[in-house]
Amino acid sequence: MNLAKHPASTVQILGAEKALFRALKTKHDTPKYGLIYHASLIGQAPQKLKGKISRVLAAKAALSIRVDALGDKDTIEIGTEARLKVEARLRSLEGKSRQSLSGSGKGKAPQQKYSGPNGGAVASYNSGADFVAAKTVEGGATPKKQKKEKSSTAPSTPAAAAPAPVAEGTPFSFSSYLPFFFPPFCVL
């Protein structure tokens, strides 16, 4: 049950604790695999892919551990399905590495130049199709906006006056000092 609580990354490096702590202490690279390195699937993989395949195998092993610890059935279906998926992943990674190594880019066909829908003819810019959003007056100049005049009927806000000094013995009122701390448009 205790192993089922561990993530796949911990399952991957089981058996390499000494190397892990040594790497963390000396600030070197951490180990990629522990006892999982001795699995036959990882032994089949090329050296470049052993880290990836050990991650995949550790993830499948962690899932199988959890099913074994917490599941109701005692079947091996999940283990065999996981092994098939790991083998398929190994084959796909090996196929990708073969393709990338064998190609080397020398035998590729050269790219053709894009000719466009007109067959290569370059279209010129049509300035007559531009849209002008500003309204113009007869002289061709854009009209200036008129300033609005302040109406004298609008109530004017008086400037905040200093609060009256508080006499001794009267309670302090914070509300009389509010205009100094907050502008008049703030709502409390």
Side-chain angles (χ1 to χ4, degrees):
M1 184 64 172
N2 195 18
L3 189 57
K5 295 177 184 177
H6 290 293
S9 59
T10 303
V11 172
Q12 181 181 349
I13 60 166
L14 282 176
E17 289 88 3
K18 188 175 179 181
L20 173 69
F21 294 124
R22 182 178 55 234
L24 292 174
K25 183 179 174 184
T26 59
K27 296 183 181 176
H28 285 87
D29 292 336
T30 56
K32 291 182 183 176
Y33 22 70
L35 292 174
I36 207 168
Y37 182 77
H38 300 293
S40 63
L41 287 171
I42 296 177
Q44 295 171 5
Q47 186 63 35
K48 272 186 151 179
L49 300 177
K50 285 188 181 191
K52 287 183 182 183
I53 294 300
S54 67
R55 261 194 315 275
V56 171
L57 183 61
K60 297 299 180 184
L63 288 174
S64 298
I65 291 167
R66 290 176 189 148
V67 168
D68 185 40
L70 305 171
D72 295 335
K73 296 187 254 178
D74 288 338
T75 61
I76 60 168
E77 294 172 2
I78 292 180
T80 54
E81 289 175 11
R83 181 179 177 97
L84 292 175
K85 288 182 182 178
V86 171
E87 288 173 349
R89 178 73 175 149
L90 176 62
R91 281 192 305 272
S92 71
L93 287 174
E94 283 178 339
K96 284 183 184 177
S97 65
R98 284 188 196 135
Q99 289 173 359
S100 65
L101 291 176
S102 64
S104 76
K106 292 182 181 176
K108 291 183 180 178
Q111 287 187 338
Q112 296 177 356
K113 192 171 184 178
Y114 177 69
S115 61
N118 302 0
V122 179
S124 62
Y125 181 72
N126 183 7
S127 62
D130 285 348
F131 175 74
V132 180
K135 294 181 182 178
T136 58
V137 260
E138 292 178 13
T142 57
K144 292 185 178 180
K145 291 185 179 180
Q146 305 251 340
K147 289 186 178 180
K148 292 184 181 178
E149 293 183 20
K150 293 184 180 179
S151 61
S152 60
T153 59
S156 63
T157 56
V166 180
E168 284 192 38
T170 58
F172 174 73
S173 171
F174 184 70
S175 62
S176 63
Y177 286 96
L178 280 179
F180 289 109
F181 296 117
F182 301 103
F185 53 85
C186 287
V187 179
L188 297 176

